[in-house]
């Protein structure tokens, strides 16, 4: 069904700073690129929120009937420690610390990234390219930029000339920064700097003898600048002009600003029509940070093995929590917020179960068609999931009234309501029903207690792999283990 023909979708375009009606370049098709992770550590919960926002957007486009090519990259080289042009490659630094090959680091944390996103019920992107798989394309773009005299080579490194580019372009138009202000607030270059201007950024960096990630190029052995990979991969798979580029707010400057400059310099026109940015996730009202111990990883939430939360929460509860805030708003994670979301999540799932058992009548006391359009209106207003969820609970209210025989619903409308609810809950929001089906409670308790004994034996024998596997597998089934002074207890997340 081509619902996009009857639904008018508006999106917040960071480039214009306004909500705009979404008009794809080609009717019925959407090209979307989202900056993926730098795979040098376990995926952060804040990153998960960004990727979850675009998973929801991807899902809604698909639901509307668009054919979507969704490209989300893997950064496996070129991302320097300070996110600028100095320091060490994050992956190379991790490889040195652990005395393993850089690609072992990449493989380990790419697997972690995929496993975590799978627990959150993400749809895989259409294409997931890597930076190292597109070195040739990056070198060709650099050649084009040098040819247009907008980049220069110094001592084996190549830099983008921001001031020269700005003579005929607007560097800073995405972030709203003025180059004059940037120049005024930047330190002067030292004699050791290769750049002509402090604002210039690296397209290619010379690899020093100790640098373990390196590739041959016309300028000598080196590695690409972080910003370049996204320009190479987005234009390769989506064309020189495509519909949507997404990422976290923190990438707006300099990363996305540099992407625009590179693309305009190499192709002569703007690369993206709509820039979408997801906001950050805080923890207990403060920025997430490892150094201050104000940090938590997804698996620590799922297992309950952390010092911040009172219990474990299943992935769908966490996803539901994240969907309760607009993707452009700052969202604060706390124990109370997750407990409230858990109650709301199970109310929603219980209503779906109740709907199956409702008795029907000759008429319906609930305008389902009007309510349905309200759900679409919410999503069409820049993917407003909080308003959508409020509408879903409006349906929950009516389901409970019908259950109490204070309202009626026809057989036809019951089927219609069930289909709409399942569509928005499962297909669009990406939630799963992670209620545990309880049969004989005594048998269940006996089985769990047996598994707790096996886990305790594994821990006593220092077989922590088996111990963790038992805990994680039970959690996936909705059984939460909690270790305490009196031993291990369990509860059902239902």
């Amino acid at each position: 069904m081509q619902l996009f023909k009857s639904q008018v979708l508006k999106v917040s375009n960071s480039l214009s700073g306004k909500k705009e009606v979404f008009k794809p370049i080609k009717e019925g098709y959407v090209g979307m690129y989202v900056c993926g992770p730098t795979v040098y550590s376990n995926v952060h919960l804040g990153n998960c929120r960004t990727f979850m926002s675009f998973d929801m957007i991807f899902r809604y486009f698909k639901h509307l009937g668009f054919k979507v090519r969704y490209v989300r990259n893997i950064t496996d080289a070129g991302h320097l420690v300070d996110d600028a042009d100095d320091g060490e490659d994050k992956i190379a630094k991790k490889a040195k610390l652990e005395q393993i090959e850089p690609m072992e680091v990449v493989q380990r944390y790419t697997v972690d990234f995929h496993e975590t996103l799978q627990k959150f019920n993400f749809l895989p992107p259409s294409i997931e390219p890597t930076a190292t798989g597109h070195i040739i394309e990056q070198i060709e773009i650099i050649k084009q930029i040098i040819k247009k005299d907008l980049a220069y080579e110094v001592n084996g490194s190549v830099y983008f000339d921001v001031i020269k580019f700005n003579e005929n372009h607007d560097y800073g138009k995405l972030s709203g920064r003025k180059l004059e202000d940037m120049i005024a607030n930047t330190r002067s270059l030292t004699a050791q700097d290769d750049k002509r201007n402090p604002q210039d950024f690296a397209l290619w960096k010379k690899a020093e003898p100790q640098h373990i990630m390196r590739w041959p190029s016309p300028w000598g052995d080196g590695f690409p600048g972080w910003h370049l990979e996204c320009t190479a991969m987005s234009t390769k798979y989506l064309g020189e002009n495509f519909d949507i580029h997404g990422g976290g707010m923190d990438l707006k400057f300099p990363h996305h600003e540099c992407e625009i400059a590179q693309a305009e310099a190499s192709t002569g026109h703007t690369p993206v029509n709509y820039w979408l940015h997801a906001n950050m996730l805080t923890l207990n009202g403060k920025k997430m940070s490892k150094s201050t111990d104000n940090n938590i990883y997804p698996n620590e939430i799922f297992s309950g093995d952390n010092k911040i939360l009172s219990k474990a929460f299943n992935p769908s509860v966490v996803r539901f929590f994240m969907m309760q805030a607009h993707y452009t708003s700052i969202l604060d994670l706390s124990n109370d917020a997750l407990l409230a979301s858990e109650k709301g999540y199970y109310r929603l799932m219980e209503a779906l179960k109740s709907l199956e058992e409702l008795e029907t009548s000759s008429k319906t006391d609930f305008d389902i068609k009007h309510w349905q359009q309200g759900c679409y209106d919410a999503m069409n207003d820049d993917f407003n999931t909080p308003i959508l969820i409020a509408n879903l609970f409006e349906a929950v209210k009516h389901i409970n009234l019908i259950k109490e025989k204070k309202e009626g619903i026809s057989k036809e409308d019951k089927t219609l309501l069930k289909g709409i609810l399942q569509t928005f809950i499962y297909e669009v929001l990406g939630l799963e029903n992670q209620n545990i089906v309880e049969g004989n409670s005594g048998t269940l308790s006996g089985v769990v207690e047996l598994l707790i004994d096996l886990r305790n034996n594994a821990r006593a024998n220092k077989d922590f792999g088996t111990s963790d596997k038992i805990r994680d597998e039970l959690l996936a089934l909705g059984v939460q283990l909690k270790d305490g002074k009196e031993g291990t207890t369990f509860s059902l997340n239902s």
Side-chain angles (χ1 to χ4, degrees), residues 253-277:
F253 187 89
H255 186 53
H256 290 161
E257 202 74 73
C258 293
E259 278 192 60
I260 292 174
Q262 291 164 165
E264 290 184 354
S266 60
T267 67
H269 53 254
T270 190
V272 181
N273 289 356
Y274 303 91
W275 285 86
L276 273 56
H277 288 95

Side-chain angles (χ1 to χ4, degrees), residues 138-256:
Q138 293 178 74
I139 289 172
E140 288 304 311
I141 290 173
I142 296 172
K143 288 179 182 177
Q144 288 297 316
I145 298 173
I146 291 174
K147 193 175 179 181
K148 295 185 180 180
D149 201 27
L150 292 171
Y152 55 92
E153 184 265 333
V154 182
N155 297 327
S157 293
V158 181
Y159 296 96
F160 189 94
D161 194 330
V162 169
I163 291 178
K164 194 161 189 179
F165 170 80
N166 200 57
E167 290 173 2
N168 297 303
H169 300 80
D170 184 8
Y171 182 78
K173 63 184 175 182
L174 179 67
S175 59
R177 302 186 184 206
K178 295 293 180 187
L179 185 57
E180 297 79 12
D181 296 334
M182 290 186 242
I183 292 170
N185 294 318
T186 307
R187 64 170 178 81
S188 299
L189 292 173
T190 65
Q192 287 75 38
D193 283 308
D194 289 334
K195 297 179 184 181
R196 291 177 185 169
N197 318 292
Q199 292 72 34
D200 296 349
F201 58 88
L203 297 172
W204 187 264
K205 287 285 284 182
K206 177 184 177 180
E208 299 301 330
Q210 70 273 17
H211 199 93
I212 51 180
M213 299 186 79
R214 58 203 298 138
W215 291 266
S217 80
W219 316 285
D221 280 5
F223 56 94
W226 172 38
H227 313 306
L228 189 61
E229 62 176 274
C230 290
T231 298
M233 291 184 277
S234 62
T235 54
K236 175 169 183 174
Y237 298 111
L238 298 174
E240 292 181 355
N241 178 229
F242 57 95
D243 297 303
I244 293 173
H245 193 312
M249 290 273 191
D250 57 318
L251 298 181
K252 193 182 288 187
F253 187 89
H255 186 53
H256 290 161

Side-chain angles (χ1 to χ4, degrees), residues 88-371:
E88 204 169 3
D89 183 293
K90 290 186 175 186
I91 291 158
K93 183 179 180 181
K94 186 80 169 188
K96 283 182 181 177
L97 283 171
E98 299 195 12
Q99 295 186 317
I100 57 176
E101 282 289 328
M103 285 302 123
E104 287 184 73
V105 174
V106 167
Q107 179 68 11
R108 177 188 302 170
Y109 295 114
T110 300
V111 168
D112 169 75
F113 174 67
H114 288 149
E115 287 179 347
T116 301
L117 265 54
Q118 193 172 26
K119 288 175 185 175
F120 277 126
N121 195 33
F122 278 57
L123 296 177
S126 315
I127 304 172
E128 192 173 51
T130 63
T132 56
H134 296 77
I135 299 293
I136 292 171
E137 288 85 352
Q138 293 178 74
I139 289 172
E140 288 304 311
I141 290 173
I142 296 172
K143 288 179 182 177
Q144 288 297 316
I145 298 173
I146 291 174
K147 193 175 179 181
K148 295 185 180 180
D149 201 27
L150 292 171
Y152 55 92
E153 184 265 333
V154 182
N155 297 327
S157 293
V158 181
Y159 296 96
F160 189 94
D161 194 330
V162 169
I163 291 178
K164 194 161 189 179
F165 170 80
N166 200 57
E167 290 173 2
N168 297 303
H169 300 80
D170 184 8
Y171 182 78
K173 63 184 175 182
L174 179 67
S175 59
R177 302 186 184 206
K178 295 293 180 187
L179 185 57
E180 297 79 12
D181 296 334
M182 290 186 242
I183 292 170
N185 294 318
T186 307
R187 64 170 178 81
S188 299
L189 292 173
T190 65
Q192 287 75 38
D193 283 308
D194 289 334
K195 297 179 184 181
R196 291 177 185 169
N197 318 292
Q199 292 72 34
D200 296 349
F201 58 88
L203 297 172
W204 187 264
K205 287 285 284 182
K206 177 184 177 180
E208 299 301 330
Q210 70 273 17
H211 199 93
I212 51 180
M213 299 186 79
R214 58 203 298 138
W215 291 266
S217 80
W219 316 285
D221 280 5
F223 56 94
W226 172 38
H227 313 306
L228 189 61
E229 62 176 274
C230 290
T231 298
M233 291 184 277
S234 62
T235 54
K236 175 169 183 174
Y237 298 111
L238 298 174
E240 292 181 355
N241 178 229
F242 57 95
D243 297 303
I244 293 173
H245 193 312
M249 290 273 191
D250 57 318
L251 298 181
K252 193 182 288 187
F253 187 89
H255 186 53
H256 290 161
E257 202 74 73
C258 293
E259 278 192 60
I260 292 174
Q262 291 164 165
E264 290 184 354
S266 60
T267 67
H269 53 254
T270 190
V272 181
N273 289 356
Y274 303 91
W275 285 86
L276 273 56
H277 288 95
N279 217 323
M280 67 188 293
L281 182 71
T282 57
L283 180 59
N284 291 323
K286 297 176 184 176
K287 184 178 178 180
M288 285 196 183
S289 170
K290 286 185 192 175
S291 59
T292 60
D293 210 24
N294 193 52
N295 188 57
I296 191 167
Y297 286 97
N299 284 332
E300 292 175 333
I301 297 178
F302 306 154
S303 67
D305 188 13
N306 63 80
K307 299 174 184 177
I308 295 170
L309 305 175
S310 62
K311 65 187 287 294
F313 295 91
N314 77 48
S316 256
V317 166
V318 181
R319 184 171 180 124
F320 181 66
F321 159 74
M322 292 193 185
M323 291 291 111
Q324 286 180 290
H326 193 268
Y327 77 96
T328 61
S329 301
I330 293 174
L331 175 62
D332 186 53
L333 179 80
S334 68
N335 190 66
D336 287 347
L338 282 174
L339 286 170
S341 289
E342 185 176 56
K343 286 180 182 176
Y345 167 79
Y346 285 118
R347 269 186 66 209
L348 202 56
M349 294 304 156
E350 183 59 36
L352 269 178
K353 183 181 175 184
S354 297
L355 180 58
E356 296 272 6
E357 300 158 2
L358 288 184
E359 292 182 16
T360 58
S361 58
S362 57
K363 67 182 183 72
T364 303
D365 299 313
F366 171 32
D367 190 342
I368 293 176
K369 291 285 187 183
H370 178 76
W371 167 81

